[in-house]
Amino acid sequence: MPVPVSSASDEARAALARDRAAAQGRLRWELLSQLIRKDLKVKYQGSTLGFVWSLANPLLLLGIYYVIFAVVLNNGVPDYHVYVMCGLLAFTAFSQGVGAASGSVVSNSGLVKKVRFPLLVLPLSGVGFALVQFVLQFPVLLVIALISGVNFLHPPVLLLIPAAALLVVFATSLGILAAALNVRYRDTSHFVEIAMLVWFWLNPILYPAGLVKTALERFGAADLFWLYFLNPMATVVSTFQRAIYQTPTYLDREGVSRELLVDGGYAVYLRNLAMGFVISALLLLLARRTFKRLQADFAEDL
């Protein structure tokens, strides 16, 4: 049976649209890769130690926190440096990624006003740069854990995969939203900088997550513990700890057993991850719509 002319024409147009979309996708990916490579080259060009400097900040903070909480305050948490580093590296990647993304469009104002290109790659490159550094830093954590005698080669280590995926999606969503708002409202990047200082303490990086549950139990509100994980970064941090640190309890200075991790099983983490992905997906939808609506005025606002 002969194919109708209109049907053949529709198929040709659909194929052309698919090819065009694929070409635009390759162009965006290539542009994003080049921007991330450029940022890495600019940051470490001429440096003798190269990316090792990216470890300086988290390692210095780790040393300070270890001395204060493990040595001076003697919190009793075994291998406290591994426990802290699980959350510290993840949160550092998040805060640096969102911070870099928030100022990415404004800092490239000359490029934005003179050249037409997919502007979305600017905040994505800020987040991507931070995530590349995280990927370079993470093996160091694993080596430190093994040297310290923390054997993470057990099934919980698989939780790293969805936790890392949530970190990427949430940081990307917030970075895109902050970048778009910062062009119109220049206070946004300053607000992000301050918010990250506060946000750090909303995650169980330095203190056991069990402390939050204990505090809620004191007020008869233990059932509300799940609200703590409406913050997706609390889920990322606690899941990284479950995946690598894996020790659910510790003895405090009085010899009383305390909860260190959120839970010793898996179900709670999977529930929290599901909540985190839903929140991040909604935020990503909002961020994309906001960026798309405001980007038409970027050149004028800049």
Side-chain angles (χ1 to χ4, degrees):
M1 178 182 295
V3 179
V5 175
S6 60
S7 176
S9 177
D10 289 344
E11 289 180 4
R13 279 198 293 270
L16 183 62
R18 285 196 297 271
D19 291 343
R20 187 177 299 165
Q24 289 177 343
R26 287 194 296 271
L27 175 65
R28 289 191 183 98
W29 180 251
E30 179 62 26
L31 187 56
L32 177 61
S33 302
Q34 288 184 4
L35 286 172
I36 294 174
R37 283 199 296 268
K38 183 207 73 174
D39 290 341
L40 288 169
K41 188 175 179 180
V42 168
K43 188 173 180 66
Y44 299 120
Q45 189 174 31
S47 169
T48 303
L49 297 179
F51 92 91
V52 175
W53 283 113
S54 70
L55 289 168
N57 183 279
L59 287 178
L60 177 62
L61 289 174
L62 176 65
I64 294 171
Y65 295 143
Y66 183 82
V67 170
I68 294 174
F69 290 96
V71 178
V72 177
L73 298 179
N74 188 23
N75 59 10
V77 177
D79 298 310
Y80 183 66
H81 58 293
V82 177
Y83 176 82
V84 170
M85 207 164 179
C86 291
L88 187 61
L89 289 185
F91 189 81
T92 300
F94 170 71
S95 63
Q96 289 182 346
V98 176
S102 67
S104 59
V105 179
V106 173
S107 62
N108 288 283
S109 58
L111 193 63
V112 172
K113 287 189 280 189
K114 294 177 182 176
V115 183
R116 290 193 62 181
F117 64 100
L119 298 178
L120 194 60
V121 298
L122 292 175
L124 292 180
S125 69
V127 176
F129 176 71
L131 293 176
V132 168
Q133 291 201 105
F134 173 72
V135 170
L136 296 173
Q137 294 165 352
F138 196 70
V140 178
L141 164 62
L142 300 181
V143 171
I144 290 175
L146 289 174
I147 293 174
S148 304
V150 176
N151 183 7
F152 53 83
L153 301 175
H154 298 294
V157 77
L158 295 176
L159 288 170
L160 282 176
I161 299 171
L166 178 57
L167 171 63
V168 173
V169 176
F170 188 55
T172 301
S173 306
L174 201 57
I176 292 172
L177 183 62
L181 293 177
N182 190 51
V183 179
R184 179 72 58 87
Y185 312 103
R186 298 299 171 84
D187 292 328
T188 303
S189 61
H190 301 291
F191 175 78
V192 167
E193 192 175 344
I194 298 299
M196 288 299 165
L197 295 176
V198 178
W199 204 330
F200 176 83
W201 294 96
L202 298 179
N203 307 290
I205 299 172
L206 301 180
Y207 56 86
L211 280 181
V212 179
K213 187 190 292 185
T214 303
L216 289 172
E217 287 173 348
R218 201 175 302 139
F219 293 100
D223 293 341
L224 299 179
F225 186 45
W226 66 275
L227 291 174
Y228 181 63
F229 299 100
L230 290 179
N231 165 21
M233 281 311 298
T235 295
V236 171
V237 168
S238 60
T239 308
F240 267 75
Q241 291 164 345
R242 176 71 179 101
I244 298 174
Y245 188 77
Q246 301 186 2
T247 305
T249 59
Y250 72 104
L251 298 177
D252 65 11
R253 285 180 294 183
E254 286 76 32
V256 178
S257 179
R258 302 284 184 186
E259 289 184 274
L260 181 58
L261 302 182
V262 174
D263 193 82
Y266 297 94
V268 171
Y269 298 96
L270 295 177
R271 181 205 64 186
N272 294 344
L273 286 165
M275 285 197 306
F277 278 115
V278 171
I279 292 170
S280 299
L282 294 175
L283 184 62
L284 182 60
L285 187 63
L286 173 66
R288 286 296 306 272
R289 287 187 174 182
T290 303
F291 196 93
K292 188 175 181 180
R293 184 168 58 85
L294 296 181
Q295 70 174 351
D297 300 327
F298 279 177
E300 184 179 341
D301 290 335
L302 290 169

